Amino acid sequence: MIQININQSLIVQHWEYILPIFLVILGVFYFKKLKAFKSPREENVKSNKLDGEEYVGADYKDDEDIDEYTPALEESEHIPFKGASITLPGGAEAFYEIVNNRRSIRSFSNKTIPFEIIETCIKAAGTSPSGAHTEPWTFCVISDPSIKTQVREIIEAEEYLNYTQRMHRQWTADLKPLHTDHIKEYLTEAPYLILIFKQIYGFKPNGGRKQHYYNEISVSIATGILLCALQAAGLSSLVTTPLNCGPALRNLLNRPQNEKLLVLLPVGYASEDCKVPNLKRKPVEDILVTY
Ligand code: IYR
């Protein structure tokens, strides 16, 4: 059996040197931990307990000089509201019939559409709820043929690379039944292109940055309302998310740095020979769970 002679152990022999070194290392370790700890909020963000940067304003640093923050929205007395007073004849069933009639199309007629209809649909989209009522959306409507051509050139060049090099072969295989490719005639055929930008932050009257909480969710809801409004007006569209085209399109339209492209919709009437995939929608039993 091996016997350890305690008296001969190096640690015991030199404890008067080893103990202070050990305490110094321990002290440095805790000092570093203490410095890294700023506030429970920042700790939560770091450890990913909250939703993540984009939604919770994690990049918003605590300002030691500010005792009380002023709200971005002006504070005023709340007003009475009696609930919905304007309803669709036929109610929810009629609304379902309208939206169930919507299809994404890739072939548009060049029949002109009064701009006022598009404007009203965008007004409807602008009624969307948004994080802290920041209304973080910009809708760019293009009807100028030369700008449409430039948009198409930018997108087709990138989509060629997407389809041939960037997208996984499973992805391109999944898209085969939808008959999509990098050639996008609809970008010049459709009377209107609506480019929807999310404002990832805004500006306070003093020029400082204003947080746009949940901006992507807010703009996505607004896009949904826009799709419904267009459908109600008898117009069709296609929700497109041009991969890797955001900065070039933002530059083309001179949009500021705080805006990022979320989606692009060509809008118009379906062409005479428009065809769509024979898709089925999930029955309500598959999407609705009751408790
Ligand atoms: N952005 C490409 C690819 C594409 C991706 C999905 I997911 C679609 O549902 C359809 C197309 C394009 O627009 O072709």
Side-chain angles (χ1 to χ4, degrees):
M1 242 187 31
I2 303 168
Q3 267 204 347
I4 299 168
N5 187 337
I6 290 178
N7 288 333
Q8 280 169 8
S9 154
L10 276 176
I11 296 176
V12 171
Q13 277 178 33
H14 303 291
W15 70 270
E16 69 266 50
Y17 304 111
I18 292 169
L19 187 68
I21 292 170
F22 175 73
L23 287 176
V24 167
I25 293 172
L26 207 71
V28 168
F29 178 75
Y30 274 101
F31 181 70
K32 275 195 167 168
K33 254 198 119 158
L34 213 69
K35 257 187 86 178
F37 182 84
K38 284 188 182 127
S39 71
R41 185 187 70 83
E42 277 167 304
E43 275 297 296
N44 278 339
V45 169
K46 253 197 3 214
S47 61
N48 239 342
K49 278 188 202 146
L50 299 177
D51 274 351
E53 250 181 281
E54 218 189 327
Y55 302 135
V56 292
D59 56 343
Y60 214 43
K61 291 278 163 293
D62 287 336
D63 192 333
E64 309 283 319
D65 302 334
I66 298 179
D67 285 339
E68 203 177 347
Y69 287 87
T70 45
L73 201 63
E74 205 191 318
E75 272 200 293
S76 61
E77 216 174 281
H78 284 202
I79 54 171
F81 178 62
K82 301 250 178 297
S85 56
I86 302 169
T87 54
L88 192 65
E93 193 57 40
F95 185 76
Y96 164 69
E97 296 295 340
I98 292 170
V99 293
N100 192 36
N101 186 227
R102 186 199 60 79
R103 293 300 310 261
S104 294
I105 63 158
R106 291 181 167 78
S107 178
F108 290 84
S109 118
N110 59 7
K111 192 174 158 205
T112 54
I113 296 156
F115 176 74
E116 290 67 34
I117 297 177
I118 302 294
E119 189 182 38
T120 306
C121 292
I122 289 174
K123 252 165 68 179
T127 67
S128 168
S130 60
H133 192 62
T134 45
E135 304 175 284
W137 37 68
T138 306
F139 300 89
C140 296
V141 179
I142 305 175
S143 56
D144 182 326
S146 73
I147 305 179
K148 282 196 263 176
T149 301
Q150 292 175 73
V151 168
R152 181 171 170 184
E153 280 167 6
I154 290 170
I155 293 181
E156 287 189 341
E158 283 299 326
E159 288 285 42
Y160 175 74
L161 297 174
N162 295 336
Y163 275 88
T164 57
Q165 296 168 30
R166 296 184 182 135
M167 287 154 73
H168 193 280
R169 278 169 50 222
Q170 179 64 60
W171 191 356
T172 48
D174 287 339
L175 292 180
K176 275 212 178 98
L178 303 178
H179 296 181
T180 69
D181 59 25
H182 73 281
I183 306 289
K184 287 158 189 331
E185 277 155 2
Y186 54 74
L187 291 173
T188 43
E189 271 177 1
Y192 292 103
L193 300 180
I194 306 181
L195 281 78
I196 307 178
F197 289 85
K198 58 176 184 183
Q199 299 167 0
I200 52 172
Y201 57 87
F203 297 98
K204 292 176 178 166
N206 70 6
R209 276 191 189 192
K210 191 176 104 180
Q211 285 292 302
H212 278 180
Y213 313 98
Y214 301 98
N215 59 77
E216 182 161 327
I217 295 177
S218 306
V219 184
S220 303
I221 297 170
T223 302
I225 296 175
L226 177 61
L227 292 180
C228 295
L230 292 168
Q231 186 65 22
L235 294 168
S236 291
S237 64
L238 171 69
V239 177
T240 73
T241 50
L243 187 64
N244 220 35
C245 303
L249 293 172
R250 191 187 64 199
N251 287 341
L252 176 71
L253 303 180
N254 288 320
R255 299 312 308 162
Q257 287 281 334
N258 63 324
E259 294 186 2
K260 284 199 160 56
L261 183 70
L262 185 71
V263 285
L264 181 156
L265 315 180
V267 173
Y269 294 106
S271 70
E272 292 275 310
D273 57 355
C274 177
K275 283 199 174 133
V276 294
N278 186 12
L279 305 177
K280 301 277 174 287
R281 294 194 163 107
K282 286 181 179 174
V284 72
E285 303 79 55
D286 289 6
I287 61 168
L288 170 68
V289 185
T290 54
Y291 296 92

